[in-house]
Amino acid sequence: MPNSIKNSTVQNSFADLPSAFYTRLSPQPLTQPRLLHANPDVAALLGWSPKVFNDPDFLDICSGSAPLPGGKTLAAVYSGHQFGVWAGQLGDGRAHLLGEVVALSGSWELQLKGSGRTPYSRMGDGRAVLRSSVREYLASEAMAGLGIPTTRALALVVSDDPVYRETVETAAIVTRVSPSFIRFGSFEHWSGSPDNLRALCNYVVDRFYPECRDAADGESVREQDVVLRFLRAVVERTARLMADWQTAGFCHGVMNTDNMSILGLTIDYGPYGFMDDFQVNHVCNHSDTQGRYAWNAQPSVANWNLYRLASALMGLDIPADALKNELGRFEAVFLQAYRGNLSRKLGLRQWEDGDDELFDDWWRLLHTQSADFTLCFRGLAGVPGQREPWLSGFEDQAAANAWLDRYMARLARDKRPDHERIEQMNRANPVYVLRNHLAEAAIQAAAQGDAGEINTLLGLLREPYVEKPGFEAYASAPPDWASRLEVSCSS
Ligand code: AMP
Ligand code: MG
């Protein structure tokens, strides 16, 4: 196992794409950077022992002062639809791809975020503030702990360099890790340039969707069919991701097509939120005044975004009807995953006809009572034995009891041993969730140079289903001040 950075195998497959896809350049390092936190779980994916965190090279690389040995540093171009409107060219305006580490667990790209201006920065300063960097660092790992596909976070570096937002804040860089950072918007960017679009499709299919080329008879599959299969696979992954977000009470906040991973990963954590009190139309992004990316809109927005991806693929002369046919699979795949997730969370053997009504009424109950998402799910496992503790989460006890009666009748039909049901529910309903106020406390401490809260949260969130004695406060409903927290696009 290559325990040091220097012994790692580093490749640059993205840099082998035509030069129009990116600009080679160096990051703008932070002044006197400090390693605030580094993540042993992600280091392990790269084949690195946590000892590398003490290696001066590690801080140099993660602060933009030195390249990844063997890596070709670059910023990638992409385009996208933002809030439903074509925004034209965007790109890595404050991110630098360092290259990819080839490890036993796979090939992992390392990317700095907040590492300075690039040709794609537009009016931006190329920086990321500490607050949003801590949030991205924590959220990536919280999602991974929940088993939801996501980019990962390796390191969080801070500096006293000022960054000007509504107020003066301090700069930070997150080192993100993912098999790829390619977005729907990367394809949209090349919709009018068939050669580059084809190069991008081939690259993504060869590396991440090779099964799209499999033919039963050893013949090669026509390009058109490869692309259709590829779209199908992206539709499926995206639909399943949406089911995971919905049933985790996760709101992304900025589901623009440039923030949609072509691998079906959660990417670009900004003003996201894990819901405390459940509201079907919860909007976590303060800047989203229309509620375009509300919780209950996320699946249909993802579907809309997939239409934008498919439109871009028309640039390869693929008939619209054939593309539409693949897009049409979204709803069925979403529903299957969503029903499966909810069945596990409610302790059902499997989804049956009629359960949709029980599910809908569950959401209605939580919504009308503004009940706590996480506590209601987690507490439900203990209910057949004792109703009281769970019922205390609801103002209208009669309504909660009425739903419970139906739920108990449904469980009775399953004829399932209690211990088996409870075990399943406790593996599907987390105790610890990255609530806004927990992230906020970690940010406040980090601003004082103290990474203790980040460390504690990561410890809990990497195994969010396991109750840890002494950490009850992290599993409780938020304090009153939490409702005043606002997160916006400014980051
Ligand atoms: P986001 O909404 O954070 O996904 O960003 C949308 C686009 O704006 C992307 O192309 C980003 O690279 C770019 N961007 C966001 N913030 C900055 C910044 N501070 N400096 C330069 N570019 C930025
Ligand atoms: Mg983005």
Side-chain angles (χ1 to χ4, degrees):
M1 184 160 132
N3 266 330
S4 80
I5 300 169
K6 284 194 195 75
N7 294 340
S8 299
T9 305
V10 171
Q11 291 181 349
N12 298 283
S13 64
F14 190 88
D16 291 337
L17 283 164
S19 60
F21 280 78
Y22 57 83
T23 302
R24 290 283 309 273
L25 78 177
S26 296
Q28 292 165 324
L30 298 176
T31 348
Q32 294 189 325
R34 301 179 296 275
L35 182 62
L36 187 64
H37 202 271
N39 185 346
D41 289 350
V42 175
L45 287 177
L46 303 173
W48 297 351
S49 103
K51 286 196 196 104
V52 301
F53 303 155
N54 302 321
D55 188 340
D57 290 351
F58 186 77
L59 177 59
D60 287 347
I61 293 166
C62 296
S63 62
S65 308
L68 179 68
K72 296 181 178 170
T73 308
L74 60 85
V77 69
Y78 51 82
S79 290
H81 281 81
Q82 299 186 315
F83 290 89
V85 180
W86 175 243
Q89 186 201 289
L90 305 164
D92 292 333
R94 50 170 168 169
H96 292 78
L97 183 68
L98 301 182
E100 80 208 40
V101 172
V102 184
L104 287 175
S105 64
S107 206
W108 298 97
E109 287 188 340
L110 268 58
Q111 189 198 57
L112 305 182
K113 179 169 174 181
S115 39
R117 291 182 54 84
T118 77
Y120 317 113
S121 300
R122 300 179 294 162
M123 307 300 282
D125 58 5
R127 292 300 180 199
V129 300
L130 175 65
R131 151 180 66 85
S132 66
S133 303
V134 172
R135 284 173 52 86
E136 170 138 24
Y137 190 76
L138 291 171
S140 314
E141 297 311 294
M143 292 298 256
L146 289 167
I148 301 178
T150 179
T151 62
R152 303 294 299 267
L154 172 66
L156 177 58
V157 168
V158 297
S159 141
D160 294 329
D161 285 345
V163 179
Y164 300 92
R165 297 292 182 261
E166 282 86 359
T167 57
V168 185
E169 303 194 38
T170 51
I173 294 180
V174 177
T175 303
R176 309 197 291 186
V177 172
S178 175
S180 172
F181 292 92
I182 294 175
R183 301 129 196 280
F184 289 11
S186 314
F187 288 81
E188 290 178 278
H189 186 73
W190 298 113
S191 64
S193 317
D195 289 346
N196 284 338
L197 184 58
R198 181 168 288 116
L200 184 61
C201 271
N202 283 334
Y203 174 77
V204 172
V205 168
D206 287 345
R207 285 181 69 78
F208 307 109
Y209 295 94
E211 66 282 0
C212 296
R213 297 201 198 280
D214 289 351
D217 49 14
E219 304 259 306
S220 62
V221 183
R222 295 190 298 167
E223 175 179 88
Q224 178 178 320
D225 293 325
V226 172
V227 174
L228 289 170
R229 285 186 189 182
F230 163 55
L231 177 63
R232 173 184 303 194
V234 178
V235 167
E236 290 176 354
R237 285 198 198 184
T238 306
R240 284 196 288 264
L241 182 69
M242 290 308 112
D244 285 350
W245 284 6
Q246 296 309 93
T247 53
F250 175 80
C251 300
H252 182 282
V254 199
M255 288 179 68
N256 296 335
T257 56
D258 53 303
N259 291 340
M260 297 289 292
S261 155
I262 201 65
L263 303 184
L265 308 172
T266 314
I267 192 172
D268 279 14
Y269 294 92
Y272 67 83
F274 289 87
M275 259 189 272
D276 292 317
D277 292 354
F278 179 71
Q279 288 293 293
V280 288
N281 51 353
H282 177 71
V283 180
C284 59
N285 178 0
H286 193 65
S287 320
D288 182 8
T289 48
Q290 307 287 311
R292 181 178 170 86
Y293 300 135
W295 177 81
N296 57 352
Q298 295 188 125
S300 57
V301 168
N303 197 18
W304 189 89
N305 289 342
L306 285 160
Y307 267 79
R308 304 287 76 74
L309 173 65
S311 305
L313 296 175
M314 286 176 71
L316 292 174
D317 275 335
I318 319 265
D321 283 353
L323 291 164
K324 257 199 189 144
N325 192 36
E326 302 303 341
L327 291 166
R329 300 171 56 84
F330 181 88
E331 189 172 344
V333 177
F334 169 77
L335 271 181
Q336 195 191 6
Y338 164 84
R339 286 167 174 160
N341 285 358
L342 265 191
S343 298
R344 277 188 292 281
K345 286 174 87 72
L346 296 186
L348 310 180
R349 263 187 213 281
Q350 57 181 35
W351 178 86
E352 290 176 7
D353 268 345
D355 286 343
D356 283 348
E357 238 173 75
L358 187 72
F359 296 168
D360 288 349
D361 290 343
W362 163 259
W363 295 128
R364 197 164 293 128
L365 176 70
L366 264 56
H367 176 84
T368 53
Q369 307 281 303
S370 296
D372 188 88
F373 188 98
T374 306
L375 293 176
C376 285
F377 271 110
R378 181 74 183 189
L380 196 58
V383 157
Q386 222 195 341
R387 287 190 178 207
E388 289 320 310
W390 182 81
L391 278 174
S392 66
F394 298 89
E395 217 144 273
D396 182 347
Q397 307 260 305
N401 257 314
W403 184 86
L404 261 193
D405 289 341
R406 286 166 55 208
Y407 173 61
M408 306 273 264
R410 173 66 183 83
L411 287 184
R413 281 215 311 279
D414 261 0
K415 296 199 184 58
R416 201 172 185 202
D418 262 357
H419 70 89
E420 185 189 303
R421 177 183 53 77
I422 291 171
E423 207 203 332
Q424 175 193 300
M425 293 177 80
N426 286 348
R427 267 185 286 121
N429 298 309
V431 188
Y432 306 106
V433 163
L434 182 56
R435 296 173 184 270
N436 257 337
H437 77 279
L438 297 176
E440 186 61 26
I443 292 165
Q444 300 297 340
Q448 307 303 314
D450 172 4
E453 268 313 296
I454 293 178
N455 204 47
T456 302
L457 279 178
L458 283 190
L460 297 172
L461 296 171
R462 67 199 289 276
E463 289 181 318
Y465 304 104
V466 183
E467 243 168 279
K468 307 247 162 81
F471 292 92
E472 291 72 20
Y474 292 83
S476 319
D480 287 341
W481 59 264
S483 61
R484 291 187 294 275
L485 290 173
E486 276 174 5
V487 284
S488 70
C489 276
S490 151
S491 62

